[in-house]
Amino acid sequence: MTAMRLIVAGAAGRMGRALVRAISENDGVALAGAFERAGSDAIGRDAGELAGVGPLGVAVTDDPLPLVAAADGALDFTTPDATVALSELAAQGRIVHVIGTTGLAESHLQRLDAAARHAVIVRSGNMSLGVNLLAALVRQAASALGPDWDIEVLEMHHRAKVDAPSGTALLLGEAAAAGRGLSLEENSVRSRDGHTGPRPEGSIGFATLRGGTVVGDHTVIFAGAGERVELSHRAEDRMIFARGAVKAALWGFRRKPGHYSMADVLGLPSA
Ligand SMILES: NC(=O)C1=CN([C@@H]2O[C@H](COP(=O)(O)OP(=O)(O)OC[C@H]3O[C@@H](n4cnc5c(N)ncnc54)[C@H](OP(=O)(O)O)[C@@H]3O)[C@@H](O)[C@H]2O)C=CC1
Ligand SMILES: O=C(O)C1=N[C@H](C(=O)O)C[C@H](O)C1
């Protein structure tokens, strides 16, 4: 069987390098290209050397267009604007676009939906098996525990993370809201400061911590009268996300265009 040809966006980034490593360890996929932001110091360097797996004969470029034309899929953990631009190329090339990028606004999501008419988009705020299982458990707990249990989502990430709450925290919030039959948008409290007044009934709160090199910690707290239930996930290695992204690409290969989630890939209930 011929390997699925994958390209990596943001190949010099923290996740980009993990993605190149994940591709190099999986015989079902092959690295067909790697690109970075124009002006990046990584342009011209070998993607395998950047990733620490030795030379792979794939130089980092700054032009995704010819790469998309010769690929079956793209793995993309970059920025919202870069992701939307790549989704338009993925639609033209009718390829799989696996998106891990977080911090997307409604306007970005609308453009991804448009691209998903022709591309197979698999997008998730967290590509790990553990977090997607956690989301299913959170949904179940939110439904079983009932409205007098307050829900708070706590997350901590490394000092370089630029968006908050994390994509995972929002995914877990969506799962909790689905379990309660609520809209997250209408019930979330994303920050607190000063005289906030008491906690609005039925709200889902978010708290964000940043520091050091933390890969990603998430806890959903169900706080009842006199007791608490806490469901947690701790990511110890970015390879869990990268291997999940490769799995998503293989799942999406030759599937019909659409906007899918990691829950679809893993066969788990989605929020
Ligand atoms: N869904 C999931 O499972 C996970 C999602 N993430 C998300 O992935 C994203 C990236 O995270 P991380 O790897 O830590 O961040 P990094 O900043 O380390 O990597 C992002 C890379 O993308 C590059 N880039 C920026 N613009 C473009 C462009 N137009 N074309 C190509 N490359 C570009 C950056 O280049 P430069 O630095 O030169 O600007 C950088 O090398 C974040 O949104 C993060 O939240 C992270 C882990 C898991
Ligand atoms: O930026 C990160 O690092 C991570 N981002 C994702 C998120 O926003 O949830 C996933 C993971 O927690 C790491």
Side-chain angles (χ1 to χ4, degrees):
M1 204 182 71
T2 48
M4 182 180 186
R5 297 165 301 168
L6 294 178
I7 61 173
V8 173
R14 279 175 290 274
M15 277 306 300
R17 284 174 280 140
L19 291 164
V20 171
R21 285 200 291 279
I23 292 170
S24 74
E25 70 183 24
N26 188 324
D27 290 340
V29 291
L31 184 68
F35 71 99
E36 257 296 339
R37 183 182 51 76
S40 162
D41 291 346
I43 306 300
R45 296 197 47 199
D46 186 280
E49 279 184 345
L50 278 171
V53 293
L56 293 174
V58 174
V60 176
T61 76
D62 62 4
D63 184 4
L65 187 58
L67 303 185
V68 168
D72 303 307
L75 307 184
D76 175 0
F77 291 60
T78 56
T79 66
D81 288 343
T83 290
V84 164
L86 183 56
S87 75
E88 284 157 11
L89 296 182
Q92 286 168 29
R94 308 290 201 261
I95 66 167
V96 181
H97 186 188
V98 177
I99 301 174
T101 308
T102 57
L104 298 154
E106 190 50 41
S107 57
H108 297 116
L109 294 175
Q110 282 172 10
R111 288 174 65 188
L112 294 185
D113 281 338
R117 289 203 285 268
H118 301 294
V120 178
I121 292 185
V122 185
R123 184 179 64 82
S124 176
N126 197 301
M127 297 275 171
S128 75
L129 171 61
V131 157
N132 285 280
L133 175 66
L134 177 65
L137 297 174
V138 164
R139 181 179 179 155
Q140 201 182 346
S143 165
L145 289 173
D148 51 337
W149 290 70
D150 299 327
I151 304 176
E152 295 281 312
V153 184
L154 173 65
E155 56 113 332
M156 181 160 187
H157 283 86
H158 53 94
R159 61 168 72 97
K161 184 159 178 65
V162 295
D163 56 308
S166 69
T168 310
L170 294 171
L171 181 159
L172 295 170
E174 288 289 0
R180 285 279 159 90
L182 297 171
S183 143
L184 182 63
E185 205 185 330
E186 286 166 19
N187 290 282
S188 66
V189 175
R190 289 170 62 146
S191 63
R192 297 185 178 103
D193 188 25
H195 184 86
T196 62
R199 190 180 195 285
E201 217 178 299
S203 59
I204 296 177
F206 290 87
T208 299
L209 307 180
R210 293 284 177 266
T213 57
V214 177
V215 174
D217 289 355
H218 293 88
T219 298
V220 181
I221 303 166
F222 295 87
E227 58 182 328
R228 256 174 302 162
V229 175
E230 301 186 357
L231 299 177
S232 294
H233 179 269
R234 295 193 200 291
E236 294 167 357
D237 185 338
R238 288 187 175 83
M239 289 303 285
I240 62 172
F241 311 127
R243 292 191 185 111
V246 170
K247 189 182 182 99
L250 287 166
W251 177 89
F253 195 25
R254 303 209 170 95
R255 201 164 284 272
K256 77 171 173 21
H259 195 154
Y260 301 96
S261 72
M262 206 54 195
D264 295 319
V265 174
L266 297 170
L268 292 165
S270 44

